[in-house]
Amino acid sequence: MVKKREYCPHCDDTVSWKTFKRHRGMYYDSENDTWKDVPVVDEGDNYGQPERVLVEDLGGEYAYVHNDVENLVTDSNVSEPSNSIDCTSFLEEDKIYFQEKSDEASVTADCGARTEYWDNITEEELLKDFEFARNMQETPVIVDTPLSDQKYCIVLLNWLCIFLCFWWTRFGISENGIAAMVTFLKRFFSVSGRFSPWLGALATAFPGTLYLLKKKMGLLTDKFTKYIVCPTCSQTYLYESCFEQRNGVQVPKLCSHVEYPNHPQRRFRKPCGASLFRKVVLSNGKTHYYPHKVYCYTSVISSLKKHLQRKDFAQKCEQWRQRDVPSGMLADIYDGRIWREFQEVDGQPFLSSKNNYGLQLNIDWFQPFKHTPFSVGAIYAVLLNLPRTERYKKENTILIGIIPGPREPSLNINAFLEPLVDELNKLWTVGLTTTHHGSPFIQETFKAALICTASDIPATRKLCGFVSFMAKHGCSKCEKEFCTGAFGTKPDFGGFAPCPLRNNLKHRAQVAEIIHEKTKSNKAQLEGKYGVRYSALMELPYFDCVRFHVIDPLHNLFLGTGKHLMKKIWVDNMKISKSQLEIIQKKVDSTKTPADMGRIPQKIASNFGGFTAEQWKNWIVVFSIFSLKGILPRPELECWRLFVLACQLLCAPVISITSVGKAHSYLMRFCREFERLYGSNSVTPNMHFHCHLADNILDYGPIYAFWTFPYERMNGVLSGHCANQKSIEIQIMRKFTNSQFLMDMPLPGVFCEDFQQMFGKDDQQAKSTEMNDCQSFFKCALLSQGEVQVSTSAWSDTCHFYMTTGAAHIEYFDDTFTEYLKEAYRTILGDIDTGSISGAVKCYNTVDCGQMHEIGRASCRERV
């Protein structure tokens, strides 16, 4: 039997019964019913309940604030992850044993909290964002009707407050900076009021502190749910379930999650038992409880409801139905096989019906602080129904969750996915019934399904349930077995012959076999045998873990194979010397490029140090071939040229199915030639995944529809949201949700013409024609699929699709190049007079392709 422990007021801790009995005889005054040597605490100090000071910080129902009561949505519908233990297979004595252990853990939970000293954090700083917001309903004060002349100052005050918050969130101003600005403006208006009664009235109404500004604009209450995370097993809990009463005192519980509840050995069926909280001693000596880790979660349903209130949002989500794309062309995700197959699911219409949406999910980890080994994870979602020009904008991106650091979870992230899966199932079965901007009085039902996950390789394995890519069955697309040697050696990823593909039915059957195993070793054995794991996304009845995840071209092509070949194979092995790198840098620097091409590769001479993904892309596609000529031996340059040709084809915003086949052929020839030149030991997993890139494009359209460039940019935005190292996840989520909240806030109707453009909310119709007016572009792209149609007139007369723009200057080709040009004209155009062709050309900075400038720009030379 476990001996009972008691709370000792003298020690302010739980102690053994023997110690409690001795202290009661020494320090307890039975006549006055008091304990000696116990400090007297005022009622306002919440003695005995120090943990409750952070209730508003870490729990409770948080409201998304709107201007009307009907739009008030709380997170109460977000269910708590299930932490119950299946005790059906336990013996009766096992139940008694764990009940005793649970009692002991509950009593000693307070002792398990590690103590930390936050000398640089005051109690006011710790509580300022939560204590004052308790039980408060916030509604921004926005005047939307014309007022009398004497009240116009209130309207201007609203505009000023809105702009201050917009400036604060849009440009990443720190809280200290905006607080100083608010204080200055308050004093400025107060002093000005001595000379102007109108400014005096403005000074009286102006919020003089940052807290009052937040209260006025509705920014006091967090608009997301906070889960407490176990630092050992990553299980999540709602804050209210993490405390219990013990001897009249609320004490924090330990983690009660059981990883293997049906294990045959009792010692493996015990709860995790890790401490969820730490004691924090502030500069004033007071002690509070603060969790080790916090998972911030935003409701997908609430976010979708807010998006639908925006002007023309629902209409934009239906524009894809009016597209006219020729057969054989892939212009967006709507032309891929997945979107076409999801028009109907199990005989029922889905995407073919109005108000049904497809979602794309991304998970990535990033470092919020430079030069600090601390990473947090971000879960993003976007609506694929939006036009590609709108889809990845910050205001249209849903930041679902911030996974706490300092490191990535080791095998899976199921505990963090459970709230999302619950909402996705609701969106699939019941849907969201609400009004929207296009139908303000009649409610409509909106449904959504997760049909694409786009992440790097490690994140994809945690998200969709696959083992490491270094395992024997490391491919998540096919059943290829990689030859593994001794422990610690790299598998052989060579050999590019076609292999049988995985499928959803077999994948689910294998996972079902794994989850029925009762021991860790048996599960691990089956996971290694099949190469799969359980994922919470499998609770979605329609989700295909195999087909619904993509091979990200950004990490696969540019940060994967391209970077590996340049740095690991050529530079590190001294195939390219330091002096040759300097020659390459000079060639790149002397190249004239379009103004909007992006970042030009720099620091090549320093071994390509600090290259971003965009710089690797530009280096591979634009600069590498002519820069490496004369540097590399011809066989290696030809091998690299195959890879570059494939990248150039795949990087087209609109691609034909014929070009997809050509790019796949180039990649396979490159992989086989690479293996022949450098050996199978140099082959990487990314090269094997090249085999499946073409299937991803056929499923989801051009790589612009699913590569992770937009999410990498979002990571950069979020990394600038941290002010200090306390509650990093809460800081990031709070600033992002506040920014979204202010972006959706309606502006006052008075003086709207004067101020509206400052907030980027123009009433002009969005340019979302996308591909509708680009038929000439498709005609040009389809030329590669058949014979060239020869015309006697100049191309600039028959094809209005191209238009030169920008500054121009005259250059001259040498005689050899001019002869090549004449020969090309005779070959393409037939028997023409080439005597008048000179070497003079007019060089433009850019050439626009049709009315859709976003399709692509390139440098242009027009013959004079």
Side-chain angles (χ1 to χ4, degrees):
M1 289 294 294
V2 179
K3 293 184 179 180
K4 188 177 181 181
R5 299 175 66 88
E6 290 288 342
Y7 175 77
C8 177
H10 171 75
C11 302
D12 191 21
D13 206 343
T14 54
V15 296
S16 65
W17 172 254
K18 184 177 180 180
T19 303
F20 173 78
K21 185 176 180 181
R22 186 176 70 254
H23 285 189
R24 185 175 62 178
M26 296 171 59
Y27 304 109
Y28 180 67
D29 186 355
S30 58
E31 295 181 358
N32 300 324
D33 192 23
T34 58
W35 286 75
K36 302 177 182 178
D37 300 331
V38 177
V40 180
V41 184
D42 295 335
E43 294 181 358
D45 288 341
N46 294 323
Y47 175 73
Q49 295 182 341
E51 68 283 349
R52 301 304 295 174
V53 296
L54 294 182
V55 169
E56 296 301 324
D57 185 349
L58 302 171
E61 295 182 357
Y62 294 86
Y64 295 103
V65 183
H66 295 268
N67 289 333
D68 52 18
V69 179
E70 294 179 355
N71 286 336
L72 186 65
V73 181
T74 66
D75 284 335
S76 58
N77 60 339
V78 181
S79 60
E80 178 185 3
S82 175
N83 300 315
S84 60
I85 301 175
D86 181 13
C87 297
T88 55
S89 62
F90 283 9
L91 300 176
E92 188 64 29
E93 57 268 23
D94 294 339
K95 298 181 181 180
I96 299 174
Y97 172 83
F98 284 115
Q99 182 62 40
E100 295 168 353
K101 287 292 186 181
S102 178
D103 291 342
E104 180 186 15
S106 299
V107 176
T108 59
D110 186 56
C111 300
R114 188 178 75 249
T115 303
E116 296 184 4
Y117 294 89
W118 290 4
D119 295 333
N120 58 338
I121 302 294
T122 64
E123 188 173 22
E124 291 75 19
E125 291 174 334
L126 194 67
L127 306 177
K128 64 180 180 181
D129 294 332
F130 312 100
E131 188 71 12
F132 300 132
R134 184 173 298 172
N135 299 324
M136 183 179 298
Q137 296 292 338
E138 309 165 33
T139 302
V141 181
I142 303 298
V143 179
D144 199 26
T145 57
L147 302 174
S148 57
D149 294 341
Q150 62 269 26
K151 294 185 178 180
Y152 275 127
C153 64
I154 303 299
V155 183
L156 293 175
L157 175 65
N158 287 332
W159 277 109
L160 179 59
C161 292
I162 293 173
F163 178 76
L164 284 174
C165 293
F166 173 81
W167 176 59
W168 173 23
T169 56
R170 178 72 177 271
F171 299 101
I173 308 299
S174 66
E175 288 202 359
N176 290 335
I178 194 67
M181 175 61 72
V182 170
T183 302
F184 172 79
L185 289 176
K186 178 69 172 181
R187 296 183 180 180
F188 178 82
F189 291 143
S190 298
V191 174
S192 302
R194 302 172 186 174
F195 311 100
S196 171
W198 187 85
L199 289 176
L202 187 63
T204 303
F206 184 78
T209 63
L210 182 58
Y211 162 73
L212 292 176
L213 178 64
K214 288 181 178 180
K215 180 179 179 181
K216 180 177 179 63
M217 304 307 298
L219 300 177
L220 282 180
T221 303
D222 286 332
K223 302 162 185 66
F224 53 91
T225 304
K226 307 181 187 72
Y227 289 98
I228 309 303
V229 180
C230 174
T232 301
C233 65
S234 297
Q235 189 61 39
T236 57
Y237 302 88
L238 288 173
Y239 179 82
E240 292 81 359
S241 65
C242 294
F243 293 91
E244 66 176 356
Q245 290 284 339
R246 181 64 63 175
N247 295 330
V249 178
Q250 279 195 325
V251 293
K253 297 179 182 179
L254 301 180
C255 178
S256 60
H257 175 66
V258 179
E259 184 71 22
Y260 301 98
N262 297 317
H263 199 285
Q265 299 183 30
R266 185 170 63 184
R267 62 191 180 95
F268 290 103
R269 300 196 298 265
K270 64 182 180 180
C272 170
S275 175
L276 303 176
F277 292 84
R278 51 188 165 175
K279 281 186 177 180
V280 175
V281 181
L282 302 181
S283 56
N284 60 0
K286 291 186 179 181
T287 300
H288 302 279
Y289 286 114
Y290 206 84
H292 290 287
K293 293 184 177 182
V294 179
Y295 171 53
C296 301
Y297 176 79
T298 301
S299 170
V300 177
I301 295 178
S302 300
S303 299
L304 179 59
K305 185 174 182 178
K306 290 191 296 182
H307 286 4
L308 289 170
Q309 309 308 316
R310 298 175 183 170
K311 183 178 181 181
D312 298 332
F313 185 88
Q315 288 77 1
K316 290 179 181 178
C317 290
E318 301 297 331
Q319 288 180 358
W320 66 272
R321 303 181 189 276
Q322 283 74 46
R323 299 167 68 257
D324 184 16
V325 178
S327 176
M329 296 298 299
L330 303 175
D332 205 345
I333 192 171
Y334 319 117
D335 307 312
R337 295 181 298 199
I338 296 293
W339 194 270
R340 294 199 302 267
E341 293 170 8
F342 237 73
Q343 298 298 305
E344 292 188 1
V345 180
D346 297 332
Q348 298 296 322
F350 187 72
L351 289 177
S352 60
S353 298
K354 183 181 178 182
N355 296 341
N356 288 351
Y357 299 153
L359 295 173
Q360 183 183 88
L361 195 69
N362 169 268
I363 295 182
D364 198 8
W365 277 262
F366 63 94
Q367 293 183 352
F369 302 104
K370 293 183 179 180
H371 315 298
T372 302
F374 188 100
S375 298
V376 296
I379 306 178
Y380 305 100
V382 296
L383 265 67
L384 296 173
N385 298 61
L386 285 172
R388 200 164 74 190
T389 53
E390 300 282 334
R391 187 178 305 157
Y392 298 105
K393 289 183 177 180
K394 179 183 176 182
E395 58 267 24
N396 295 328
T397 301
I398 303 174
L399 179 59
I400 295 176
I402 300 293
I403 301 176
R407 293 175 296 275
E408 299 183 27
S410 57
L411 299 178
N412 64 74
I413 54 173
N414 292 329
F416 305 110
L417 294 176
E418 288 176 0
L420 172 63
V421 170
D422 290 342
E423 291 199 285
L424 288 177
N425 272 322
K426 184 177 180 181
L427 284 173
W428 173 255
T429 57
V430 181
L432 167 66
T433 302
T434 182
T435 59
H436 59 93
H437 185 273
S439 178
F441 305 109
I442 301 177
Q443 290 189 335
E444 297 182 6
T445 299
F446 297 83
K447 292 187 176 182
L450 177 63
I451 62 174
C452 179
T453 61
S455 305
D456 59 19
I457 294 178
T460 297
R461 267 120 188 86
K462 297 180 177 66
L463 182 62
C464 295
F466 295 96
V467 298
S468 170
F469 58 86
M470 299 295 288
K472 182 178 181 180
H473 296 273
C475 181
S476 56
K477 291 291 186 180
C478 70
E479 298 179 350
K480 180 180 177 63
E481 294 185 8
F482 300 122
C483 296
T484 56
F487 178 77
T489 60
K490 175 187 173 184
D492 183 3
F493 297 102
F496 299 95
C499 296
L501 298 177
R502 296 179 182 267
N503 62 77
N504 186 45
L505 293 178
K506 190 174 181 179
H507 179 89
R508 286 181 175 267
Q510 292 170 345
V511 171
E513 183 180 351
I514 292 172
I515 62 179
H516 279 90
E517 290 296 330
K518 299 180 180 180
T519 65
K520 181 179 180 180
S521 58
N522 290 346
K523 284 189 175 183
Q525 183 178 1
L526 288 180
E527 288 173 354
K529 177 181 177 181
Y530 299 132
V532 299
R533 289 193 178 99
Y534 169 75
S535 169
L537 294 182
M538 297 181 67
E539 301 300 328
L540 302 174
Y542 58 85
F543 190 79
D544 189 335
C545 289
V546 178
R547 288 192 68 191
F548 285 8
H549 78 272
V550 299
I551 307 299
D552 174 37
L554 183 150
H555 292 89
N556 180 248
L557 295 174
F558 310 132
L559 297 180
T561 298
K563 183 177 180 180
H564 171 75
L565 200 58
M566 289 301 306
K567 298 193 69 173
K568 301 295 183 182
I569 302 300
W570 293 336
V571 175
D572 291 354
N573 293 329
M574 299 303 294
K575 292 182 178 292
I576 300 179
S577 63
K578 182 72 174 179
S579 59
Q580 289 174 326
L581 287 176
E582 294 175 353
I583 294 175
I584 294 174
Q585 183 69 70
K586 291 180 180 178
K587 290 183 178 180
V588 172
D589 293 341
S590 62
T591 304
K592 296 178 180 179
T593 58
D596 58 349
M597 195 187 77
R599 294 187 176 184
I600 308 301
Q602 302 292 333
K603 300 182 180 179
I604 295 178
S606 59
N607 298 340
F608 296 87
F611 259 35
T612 64
E614 186 178 15
Q615 286 177 321
W616 277 112
K617 170 182 170 291
N618 290 335
W619 158 255
I620 293 169
V621 175
V622 179
F623 298 96
S624 62
I625 288 295
F626 73 87
S627 298
L628 293 174
K629 185 177 181 181
I631 303 294
L632 289 176
R634 185 172 182 81
E636 297 182 64
L637 182 61
E638 287 300 312
C639 176
W640 175 255
R641 189 177 66 88
L642 293 172
F643 178 73
V644 173
L645 289 174
C647 291
Q648 289 175 342
L649 289 172
L650 295 178
C651 286
V654 177
I655 189 171
S656 64
I657 295 179
T658 302
S659 297
V660 176
K662 288 182 179 179
H664 178 72
S665 176
Y666 284 139
L667 283 176
M668 293 301 96
R669 289 169 57 191
F670 159 75
C671 291
R672 296 187 183 99
E673 185 66 14
F674 179 92
E675 186 177 13
R676 187 187 68 82
L677 289 173
Y678 305 106
S680 59
N681 290 333
S682 299
V683 177
T684 64
N686 278 313
M687 295 181 184
H688 171 78
F689 288 122
H690 293 340
C691 303
H692 306 293
L693 200 54
D695 273 337
N696 283 171
I697 296 175
L698 295 177
D699 279 341
Y700 289 103
I703 63 176
Y704 279 73
F706 60 85
W707 67 3
T708 59
F709 267 110
Y711 303 112
E712 294 292 336
R713 287 193 291 268
M714 282 301 304
N715 289 343
V717 172
L718 296 185
S719 62
H721 285 348
C722 295
N724 53 57
Q725 297 186 12
K726 180 187 73 67
S727 304
I728 295 173
E729 300 81 14
I730 296 178
Q731 292 183 59
I732 293 175
M733 182 62 82
R734 179 182 296 130
K735 291 188 177 182
F736 185 87
T737 53
N738 284 346
S739 175
Q740 297 279 53
F741 176 73
L742 292 170
M743 196 174 300
D744 293 331
M745 181 182 297
L747 299 176
V750 186
F751 305 127
C752 194
E753 304 82 8
D754 301 282
F755 297 113
Q756 188 176 27
Q757 292 185 351
M758 304 242 350
F759 299 87
K761 296 184 178 182
D762 297 331
D763 287 333
Q764 299 177 0
Q765 194 71 16
K767 296 180 180 180
S768 56
T769 55
E770 198 71 15
M771 300 296 171
N772 295 335
D773 299 326
C774 295
Q775 296 303 314
S776 55
F777 177 85
F778 294 127
K779 292 179 182 178
C780 294
L782 288 171
L783 288 176
S784 61
Q785 299 190 29
E787 296 183 359
V788 176
Q789 300 296 321
V790 179
S791 175
T792 57
S793 57
W795 67 270
S796 58
D797 297 333
T798 60
C799 184
H800 64 278
F801 183 73
Y802 301 97
M803 180 177 64
T804 55
T805 60
H809 62 279
I810 301 296
E811 288 187 0
Y812 296 90
F813 293 144
D814 57 27
D815 295 339
T816 302
F817 190 89
T818 303
E819 289 301 321
Y820 287 148
L821 184 62
K822 292 179 180 180
E823 182 65 25
Y825 284 161
R826 284 192 293 266
T827 303
I828 296 175
L829 301 178
D831 188 15
I832 64 171
D833 181 16
T834 59
S836 61
I837 298 178
S838 66
V841 292
K842 184 182 292 185
C843 299
Y844 292 88
N845 288 337
T846 57
V847 54
D848 289 345
C849 300
Q851 300 178 12
M852 183 64 184
H853 293 182
E854 291 82 356
I855 290 181
R857 289 186 173 185
S859 58
C860 175
R861 288 182 171 87
E862 183 179 277
R863 184 168 55 84
V864 177

